[in-house]
Amino acid sequence: PSTFEYSFDTPSYKGKVALNTGLFIGGKFVDPVEGGTHDVINPTTGKLTTKISVATKPDIDTAVKAAQKAFNESWGLKVPGAQRGKLLMKLADLLEEHRSELAAIEALDNGKTWSWAYNVDVPGAFSCIRYYAGWADKNSGQVIETAETKFAYTRHEPIGVVGQIIPWNFPLLMLAWKLGPALATGNAIVLKPSEFTPLSALRVAELLNEAGFPPGVVNIVNGYGHTAGAAIAEHMDIDKVAFTGSTIVGRKIMEYAAKSNLKNVTLELGGKSPNIILDDADLDQAVAWAAHGVFWNHGQTCCAGTRIFVHEKIYDEFLERFTKKAQALKLGDPFAKETNQGPQVSKTQFDRIMGYIESGKQDGATVHLGGSPHGSEGYFISPTIFTNTKPNMKIVREEIFGPVGVVIKFSTEEEVIEQANDTHYGLAAAVFSKHIDRALKIAHKLNAGTCWVNCANTLDTQIPFGGYKQSGIGRELGEYALTNYTNVKAVHINLGMEI
Ligand code: TXE
């Protein structure tokens, strides 16, 4: 298989990266059976970075066989949890050791700033792997009392071979969220990164070998969704699929599972999260968190607080300060020290976001700020704020996944709760108030898997994350994620029952 070499000579990072661009199957890089390649584009310039191999169904079959072999011979319950934990710990250490380099790969491939990748994505990834290393020998079953004549207990067994399909907004972090709990519980994995951001996973493949994972325990197969992704979700020998991405594809994943072997499915999908600012909020803090909520990662966060509801008493002042905050965001080269916002990930996403901005204008909303591309090269979009929206507008109802927020005035708590819940999504929500009782009463009435009080868009490895309604099925992170990757077996032992 080919390799890709890149020399970074930037204000944030100087160094060389050499990656193998093949498919990582059975612990080795191999060429795809049908020999296809995909052009990886640098979103900052719109130019070609490199070509990578893409898998199709025959390669997925080979990857599944490698995973089965590893599961049966050198992984799963054959390896004590403490040993699995040790390998995960080693992987976490290697990710930490390569922190600057991995941040550079993310910035190059995704367009996010090197400093955010260095401060959030990469530490988020290694602390997630380290956290699940700790769980590897602690996920035991229960002893359950019934009658004197019976002894019963449960075992938490790995599911077997699991498929994982991840998106492009946090390539390395999403990979860690998927690998951590699946490996801690002893599963073997076939993982497909997004075709838009395939590079950091290729570096992780090498680190998995360096950490000492048996060959085939993790197979990383780049490729397109409708071919490689579908082959994973439809596979008869994959017993579970975990997916993060769009709600449309999430539906397809469930269909593939239903039409093949009824594999277990967990989904982490889109959102249109409300952010409620009450009249007694600390305005400085509310403005800062609201801006982070909607603009962070260029708006490419599934839990972005894109519907900002502001109480009428403070609406004008909030809008003025929020606008200044958005105007202060510096767009540019992800490796420049002063940059806050890089390009959107791809031409497709850029076009899609500009389409939404156009629809907002057509529908009669006011473009309060931005509303246009930025610069002449790459996929940059100015931070955009809409006001004077109506509840049925597309920009209020649909996930835009770009630096675009709508600011909506409200007068009563009842009214804002109703509007906040008026969505098919239910991933996250935020409430700002200096009175914790008021904030909590509202938080408890919001239909969302995550409710932030006086903060927004902040996650921790230990705290579960996932959606209500069409935002998903199951929870990632925390202890809860372990249940996604285990079968519970109940063992009944007769201590004297007669028949
Ligand atoms: O996502 P896709 P896209 C949302 C966001 C964004 C929109 C489209 O609103 O604007 O989705 O982004 C793989 N079978 N989110 O089109 O297609 C694909 O290769 C199996 C929210 O990039 O859902 C990639 O690996 N797999 C989100 C992954 O699915 C398929 C993050 C996600 O891509 C497939 C990303 C198929 N038929 C986008 N088709 C979040 N929840 O964070 C595609 N894939």
Side-chain angles (χ1 to χ4, degrees):
S2 313
T3 52
F4 159 64
E5 287 187 15
Y6 196 90
S7 284
F8 292 91
D9 185 14
T10 75
S12 302
Y13 179 70
K14 294 189 199 319
K16 264 207 178 105
V17 170
L19 292 174
N20 200 311
T21 55
L23 308 177
F24 182 70
I25 298 178
K28 293 196 188 83
F29 284 97
V30 296
D31 284 323
V33 173
E34 292 177 8
T37 60
H38 168 72
D39 289 352
V40 182
I41 304 295
N42 178 349
T44 307
T45 60
K47 302 206 172 97
L48 183 75
T49 302
T50 185
K51 287 177 185 289
I52 50 133
S53 298
V54 290
T56 54
K57 188 165 182 337
D59 305 302
I60 302 299
D61 289 340
T62 314
V64 171
K65 287 211 176 79
Q68 277 177 325
K69 186 167 181 319
F71 183 75
N72 293 328
E73 294 174 11
S74 51
W75 197 239
L77 294 174
K78 280 208 157 22
V79 179
Q83 173 63 12
R84 296 199 301 269
K86 209 168 154 191
L87 290 173
L88 279 164
M89 207 58 101
K90 179 83 181 121
L91 176 64
D93 289 347
L94 287 169
L95 292 170
E96 185 163 12
E97 220 173 273
H98 294 277
R99 181 170 176 176
S100 301
E101 174 200 341
L102 287 164
I105 297 174
E106 290 298 69
L108 171 73
D109 208 13
N110 166 282
K112 63 178 64 208
T113 61
W114 180 89
S115 67
W116 274 114
Y118 182 83
N119 289 309
V120 178
D121 295 58
V122 187
F126 63 69
S127 47
C128 174
I129 298 291
R130 202 166 276 149
Y131 170 81
Y132 284 106
W135 270 115
D137 59 356
K138 296 173 193 69
N139 185 27
S140 305
Q142 304 172 354
V143 170
I144 298 167
E145 298 295 334
T146 55
E148 222 184 359
T149 52
K150 183 181 270 189
F151 175 66
Y153 62 91
T154 57
R155 280 162 63 85
H156 295 174
E157 298 183 348
I159 292 177
V161 176
V162 304
Q164 303 183 319
I165 301 172
I166 59 171
W168 43 260
N169 53 343
F170 295 91
L172 182 69
L173 190 63
M174 292 301 103
L175 173 140
W177 286 20
K178 294 282 185 281
L179 293 192
L183 291 174
T185 46
N187 296 276
I189 296 168
V190 177
L191 177 137
K192 192 194 87 61
S194 164
E195 57 274 34
F196 293 114
T197 51
L199 300 183
S200 52
L202 293 169
R203 188 71 185 96
V204 172
E206 287 164 357
L207 299 179
L208 283 159
N209 275 350
E210 203 176 325
F213 282 89
V217 168
V218 182
N219 303 277
I220 295 179
V221 283
N222 277 309
Y224 298 111
H226 64 284
T227 49
I232 290 173
E234 287 174 339
H235 210 285
M236 291 302 286
D237 294 323
I238 290 184
D239 295 315
K240 188 234 157 52
V241 61
F243 170 81
T244 299
S246 61
T247 297
I248 291 182
V249 175
R251 273 182 220 287
K252 287 192 192 164
I253 300 287
M254 286 198 88
E255 266 178 54
Y256 296 141
K259 286 186 182 154
S260 53
N261 59 348
L262 278 178
K263 55 179 67 61
N264 168 313
V265 175
T266 43
L267 304 173
E268 203 266 273
L269 309 174
K272 192 75 187 171
S273 299
N275 192 349
I276 301 172
I277 324 280
L278 298 181
D279 52 353
D280 63 349
D282 174 333
L283 211 52
D284 269 345
Q285 281 296 303
V287 164
W289 282 108
H292 175 71
V294 62
F295 297 125
W296 182 50
N297 209 39
H298 328 161
Q300 302 167 147
T301 353
C302 46
C303 48
T306 45
R307 292 182 298 143
I308 304 164
F309 295 96
V310 185
H311 192 271
E312 58 189 4
K313 271 199 213 151
I314 53 162
Y315 180 88
D316 290 340
E317 198 180 344
F318 175 90
L319 190 60
E320 196 189 317
R321 291 202 211 177
F322 182 62
T323 307
K324 281 204 186 115
K325 203 77 188 170
Q327 280 168 329
L329 290 171
K330 187 134 184 27
L331 275 69
D333 175 9
F335 289 94
K337 293 250 157 89
E338 66 280 7
T339 301
N340 308 111
Q341 183 179 316
Q344 306 308 129
V345 74
S346 66
K347 176 80 168 63
T348 316
Q349 283 304 117
F350 173 89
D351 289 343
R352 180 193 208 109
I353 297 160
M354 288 313 299
Y356 274 112
I357 291 175
E358 205 40 51
S359 95
K361 291 179 185 168
Q362 300 274 320
D363 288 346
T366 305
V367 183
H368 176 79
L369 181 75
S372 53
H374 169 93
S376 53
E377 200 186 36
Y379 312 132
F380 293 85
I381 296 180
S382 299
T384 297
I385 302 171
F386 277 103
T387 54
N388 295 317
T389 57
K390 299 233 160 53
N392 59 352
M393 288 181 183
K394 262 169 77 170
I395 55 164
V396 178
R397 303 210 71 80
E398 297 181 18
E399 182 175 58
I400 300 175
F401 229 60
V404 183
V406 298
V407 182
I408 301 167
K409 196 186 283 184
F410 75 90
S411 40
T412 69
E413 286 181 17
E414 293 67 35
E415 168 205 339
V416 77
I417 291 166
E418 196 183 316
Q419 284 192 60
N421 286 335
D422 180 20
T423 165
H424 294 307
Y425 291 116
L427 196 55
V431 190
F432 289 84
S433 165
K434 277 189 198 145
H435 291 97
I436 200 74
D437 53 335
R438 257 185 109 187
L440 288 183
K441 264 192 227 153
I442 294 178
H444 291 184
K445 288 183 181 153
L446 296 172
N447 301 326
T450 293
C451 282
W452 288 294
V453 174
N454 295 330
C455 53
N457 231 350
T458 152
L459 299 175
D460 296 271
T461 307
Q462 300 86 343
I463 304 176
F465 179 72
Y468 282 23
K469 301 196 266 184
Q470 291 181 34
S471 286
I473 298 176
R475 292 290 175 273
E476 299 201 86
L477 302 182
E479 184 179 352
Y480 290 86
L482 300 170
T483 62
N484 296 339
Y485 292 101
T486 41
N487 277 323
V488 176
K489 177 178 284 170
V491 181
H492 300 233
I493 302 152
N494 187 349
L495 297 182
M497 284 186 301
E498 287 189 2
I499 195 154

